[in-house]
Amino acid sequence: MNGAERLGQWIADNPIIIAAAAILLTVASLHYAQQIEMQGMTTESMVGKDSPLYQLYDHLYVEKFATESIAVLVEAYDVTNPDILRSMDKFSQKLRTAPDVLSVMSIADIVADTEKSENGVRKIPGQERIDEILAYPSNLPMVNAMMPDKKHTMLSIDLPVTLTEAQLREIYAETNGQVKMADFPPDVVVTVTGKPALMQSITEEMTKSNAPILALAGILMVVALLISFNHVKWSLLPIPIVFLGITWSFGAMGFLHIPFTMVSMSAFPVLIGIGIDYAIQFHNRIDEEFRKGGSPRQAVIETVGNVSKPVMIALIITAMGFVSLLTSSVPMTRDFGLLCLVGLFLCYLSALFLGVTILYVAERRSASQRSTGAESAGSNASGDTVIGEIIGKVSDYSIQRWHLVLAAALFLSLAGIYSDTLVQVDTDFKNYVPQDLPPLIDFRHMSDIFGGTDTLDLIVQADDITNPDTLHWMDDFTSYLKESRDQIYDYQSIASLVKQSNGGVIPDDTTEIRMLIEGLPAVTLSQYLDGHDTALIKLNVGKALTNLGAEGTDRLIKEIDKDIAWHPPPPGVSVRETGDSVVMTTVISALTQGRTEMTLLGLVLIFFVLLLIYRDLIKALLPVLPMLVVIGWMGGVMYLADMKYTPLTACLGALILGVGSEYAILMMERFYEELAKIGEPQEALRITSKRIGSALIASGLTTIFGFAALISSPFLITNNFGTVTVLAIIFALLTTFTVFVVLMYRMEIRRAVVENAKHELTKALKLMARGG
């Protein structure tokens, strides 16, 4: 008795221990699931904290200059009306006292502060005086930024970027509350928007949509099992078994501090799809053993002895596909890979121990009816099904037309691999979320009015930023960029602030410059200067980054780097690009170049692990080749369907490796089991297709139906992932029963021919030796 059979014996002898362990693990999982942290599409989720790019972004940009802004959009016939400005001023004064609010700026503040500085009383004057104040040259830059026309204006509420989701929720709620208390006139439309408001709404939508998707996945999987797995007893049992593994995975997510993001939430349908196959394989084999009429205990031993190792090998190979994701430079991709790895192992444990135990206990309790059941099942004791017969015929046809099958697969794969290089990447998170989300509509409405808020940021470091040479260079360089780059509409820096406050001229004396800087409002100064050694240049590009797309933005950033090289700053001054746009460009590179490297790494890992397990070149190579075909086909489909890669679909290669290798390995293991009994490859393949084909179709169809639930997701990133994955699984099943069986059969025939030739050669040499 081998180790797997001894494990089967232990499972049959200890159902109570297994049930108790499952209950304890479930209780612990429910506890740790409460600790899961929700995380939106933040910079931290896209770029590793240990990377030089993030260090520059976090320690210089975020800590010294970066803020988040809630925008309050005010629309009226004339937003400079005194009554409207008084309501705006009342709102500003109240919100400034709220915790974590750094500043509140509006045209009402400009009017009231100017009135106080000139007349000693802070108030909103009459219409004529308001128009006069807003027309002051010193006020025009701020007024133009906040009031593009008389019908629209914006209040900007600056917040620290370090706020948690809970703190942002509180401030967002406080902002809405203060808007109602500000008593705006009835004909005024006031909208709270901005990225914090948008991210808050996205997080709430993620939480709300996750449960219905999982419920729909469960319903569709029930339908799939009733269609394709109705030849066994308790045909719906794989569903609660895999959902128990999912519950344990939620617990592991909290225990390992894996954040819940738009990417990691899609790991659960992946786990359901792959994990249910484990439950189906054990269920299918133990039902086959029950039909033979032996004792339930022996059926458990035979099932675990024959299935646990192949499924474990399939698990290991699937894991190799996801291990490749751990090499990604994108944290959310690594989190997705880690969650899949842990979840697959837990789903395997659930299927092996609990699934087998439940079926064993149920069969043992119906022992008195077993003889009747065996007689009724005797006509089909082999476990052949209608689906199995169809799969057998498909395999036979593929073997007969093997030249055509391989040629078509190769041609389509090569065409798809080429097409994949033309597929674009989308990293604008606003395209991932429901397009009818009210905060997104409000955000885009604000962008249409104010011309977009995209910026490129330059960090300038020197021993003394206030040196006249440094400020002159900053002024000259930004003027050059505005004139030479159509995408740059405006700029703001400490140099431009000093220039504006001194009548359009930067002084040549450091002392005079510092006196001007000291006269600037502290709130404004802190956005562009930190001490005397670090400054920020903000290049306003409007909607350019959105309009240019990923590749266009990357080109613009590189062109600005070239401009810095051609127009270098004074000696001792360094200039580096940073900010959200630069970070996202790095993510784009990681998703485009990194996904190919991850897929190739996964293929290499799978090949060498299979070679280590089987110590047989053919067995190691067989599962890898069909996966290459599917990867090629999917590239072609994405190109033809005009789909774009996202942080989620960038994991597609690893997913194909995981799912495709599992089907191929289970098919291959059963083939060689039957070949050892029969000795004739084609007959062994026919029996394999009939016996395991129905189980693979059942698991594949269930997986397809499970992933189809993702297509109902309101998040486009998840919706597209569901569509792509459904097609990938269909292709994986198709190649398993066509390309894979052809390769397996032809390679085994070739092996037999080579071995026969060696045998004949050895025999001939022996005869020659005797004759000599």
Side-chain angles (χ1 to χ4, degrees), residues 339-360:
L339 183 56
C340 287
L341 284 173
V342 175
L344 287 176
F345 180 69
L346 293 173
C347 288
Y348 175 81
L349 293 182
S350 177
L352 172 60
F353 289 98
L354 205 63
V356 170
T357 297
I358 290 173
L359 289 169
Y360 165 65

Side-chain angles (χ1 to χ4, degrees), residues 571-640:
V573 179
S574 69
V575 183
R576 289 176 288 178
E577 291 190 75
T578 186
D580 294 334
S581 303
V582 177
V583 168
M584 283 314 214
T585 301
T586 304
V587 172
I588 292 167
S589 176
L591 291 176
T592 51
Q593 299 173 9
R595 64 184 169 83
T596 303
E597 294 166 359
M598 287 187 297
T599 301
L600 291 175
L601 176 61
L603 283 169
V604 171
L605 285 174
I606 287 173
F607 173 75
F608 280 107
V609 170
L610 284 173
L611 192 60
L612 183 65
I613 292 172
Y614 291 118
R615 302 186 185 278
D616 185 316
L617 186 61
I618 291 178
K619 288 184 177 181
L621 196 59
L622 274 174
V624 173
L625 296 177
M627 286 184 280
L628 280 171
V629 171
V630 176
I631 289 170
W633 290 1
M634 285 308 305
V637 167
M638 290 195 69
Y639 174 74
L640 292 174

Side-chain angles (χ1 to χ4, degrees), residues 8-316:
Q9 193 176 53
W10 185 88
I11 291 173
D13 292 340
N14 297 278
I16 296 176
I17 293 176
I18 292 171
I23 292 171
L24 289 174
L25 188 55
T26 303
V27 171
S29 297
L30 293 173
H31 167 72
Y32 281 109
Q34 307 302 314
Q35 301 178 21
I36 296 174
E37 176 190 355
M38 299 291 294
Q39 187 181 83
M41 298 290 285
T42 61
T43 302
E44 289 80 358
S45 68
M46 304 291 274
V47 181
K49 291 186 177 181
D50 55 347
S51 67
L53 175 69
Y54 185 83
Q55 296 298 317
L56 171 64
Y57 173 84
D58 186 56
H59 297 315
L60 288 179
Y61 177 69
V62 172
E63 290 184 4
K64 296 180 183 293
F65 302 108
T67 59
E68 287 189 297
S69 295
I70 291 179
V72 179
L73 178 62
V74 179
E75 300 175 273
Y77 180 75
D78 184 357
V79 293
T80 65
N81 181 285
D83 290 337
I84 296 176
L85 292 189
R86 289 187 188 100
S87 295
M88 290 171 62
D89 188 51
K90 180 180 179 181
F91 171 84
S92 296
Q93 296 302 321
K94 287 287 186 181
L95 204 59
R96 281 193 184 96
T97 62
D100 299 313
V101 173
L102 299 177
S103 66
V104 183
M105 283 299 296
S106 68
I107 58 171
D109 291 298
I110 294 173
V111 170
D113 291 342
T114 303
E115 184 72 7
K116 181 180 179 181
S117 66
E118 294 186 359
N119 299 319
V121 180
R122 192 182 191 283
K123 65 176 184 177
I124 301 296
Q127 186 67 56
E128 187 175 342
R129 175 62 175 158
I130 289 172
D131 294 339
E132 179 186 349
I133 292 173
L134 294 178
Y136 283 2
S138 59
N139 289 336
L140 277 178
M142 292 292 288
V143 171
N144 290 337
M146 291 187 288
M147 190 179 71
D149 55 59
K150 281 293 189 77
K151 293 185 177 182
H152 303 91
T153 188
M154 176 178 66
L155 295 93
S156 178
I157 304 161
D158 287 339
L159 311 169
V161 294
T162 54
L163 294 182
T164 64
E165 294 280 351
Q167 290 171 317
L168 282 175
R169 274 197 301 271
E170 291 178 6
I171 296 175
Y172 183 51
E174 178 70 14
T175 302
N176 281 294
Q178 291 299 337
V179 165
K180 295 176 182 177
M181 297 177 64
D183 298 323
F184 282 92
D187 59 340
V188 177
V189 178
V190 183
T191 307
V192 180
T193 183
K195 282 191 177 180
L198 178 57
M199 295 306 297
Q200 174 63 35
S201 180
I202 290 172
T203 301
E204 291 174 357
E205 187 68 23
M206 283 169 56
T207 306
K208 186 171 70 175
S209 65
N210 195 47
I213 289 173
L214 286 176
L216 179 60
I219 293 170
L220 291 175
M221 289 163 66
V222 167
V223 173
L225 287 176
L226 290 175
I227 293 172
S228 60
F229 203 51
N230 55 15
H231 62 280
V232 301
K233 297 178 182 178
W234 295 54
S235 60
L236 298 181
L237 182 62
I239 292 177
I241 293 299
V242 75
F243 271 95
L244 184 64
I246 295 300
T247 302
W248 297 348
S249 300
F250 269 111
M253 195 176 182
F255 180 77
L256 297 173
H257 304 291
I258 300 173
F260 194 84
T261 66
M262 276 192 281
V263 174
S264 63
M265 70 183 285
S266 297
F268 292 104
V270 173
L271 295 176
I272 292 171
I274 299 177
I276 201 166
D277 188 42
Y278 302 154
I280 287 174
Q281 293 303 323
F282 282 108
H283 195 145
N284 185 68
R285 186 56 181 260
I286 200 170
D287 186 78
E288 186 180 321
E289 296 299 330
F290 287 155
R291 289 171 183 268
K292 292 179 181 178
S295 69
R297 188 173 186 276
Q298 187 59 35
V300 171
I301 295 172
E302 287 293 325
T303 298
V304 176
N306 287 296
V307 178
S308 62
K309 180 183 174 183
V311 175
M312 175 56 79
I313 292 172
L315 168 62
I316 293 171

Side-chain angles (χ1 to χ4, degrees), residues 698-744:
S699 62
L701 191 62
T702 308
T703 305
I704 289 168
F705 276 38
F707 276 107
L710 292 181
I711 300 175
S712 69
S713 172
F715 287 87
L716 298 184
I717 185 175
T718 309
N719 180 298
N720 289 343
F721 179 67
T723 303
V724 169
T725 307
V726 165
L727 291 173
I729 296 167
I730 291 172
F731 289 160
L733 283 171
L734 181 61
T735 55
T736 298
F737 299 125
T738 56
V739 178
F740 179 70
V741 296
V742 167
L743 290 173
M744 187 163 59

Side-chain angles (χ1 to χ4, degrees), residues 456 458 477 480-481 484-488 539 548 551-567 577 585:
L456 290 174
L458 305 178
F477 182 67
Y480 164 77
L481 288 178
S484 61
R485 300 290 173 196
D486 294 337
Q487 301 89 347
I488 298 175
L539 304 175
L548 287 172
E551 295 180 1
T553 302
D554 186 34
R555 283 195 299 270
L556 177 59
I557 291 171
K558 289 177 179 176
E559 288 300 316
I560 293 175
D561 279 335
K562 291 179 183 177
D563 290 333
I564 295 172
W566 280 102
H567 300 81
E577 291 190 75
T585 301

Side-chain angles (χ1 to χ4, degrees), residues 625-736:
L625 296 177
M627 286 184 280
L628 280 171
V629 171
V630 176
I631 289 170
W633 290 1
M634 285 308 305
V637 167
M638 290 195 69
Y639 174 74
L640 292 174
D642 197 26
M643 293 181 176
K644 294 181 180 180
Y645 278 111
T646 67
L648 198 50
T649 50
C651 305
L652 182 62
L655 184 64
I656 291 171
L657 297 181
V659 176
S661 61
E662 180 185 6
Y663 296 151
I665 287 168
L666 292 171
M667 187 85 169
M668 184 176 71
E669 281 283 340
R670 189 61 184 262
F671 168 73
Y672 282 107
E673 180 185 336
E674 298 297 336
L675 183 63
K677 297 176 182 176
I678 300 171
E680 204 284 307
Q682 188 161 1
E683 182 61 25
L685 188 57
R686 186 176 292 110
I687 294 173
T688 299
S689 299
K690 290 180 179 180
R691 298 282 174 83
I692 201 174
S694 58
L696 290 179
I697 287 293
S699 62
L701 191 62
T702 308
T703 305
I704 289 168
F705 276 38
F707 276 107
L710 292 181
I711 300 175
S712 69
S713 172
F715 287 87
L716 298 184
I717 185 175
T718 309
N719 180 298
N720 289 343
F721 179 67
T723 303
V724 169
T725 307
V726 165
L727 291 173
I729 296 167
I730 291 172
F731 289 160
L733 283 171
L734 181 61
T735 55
T736 298

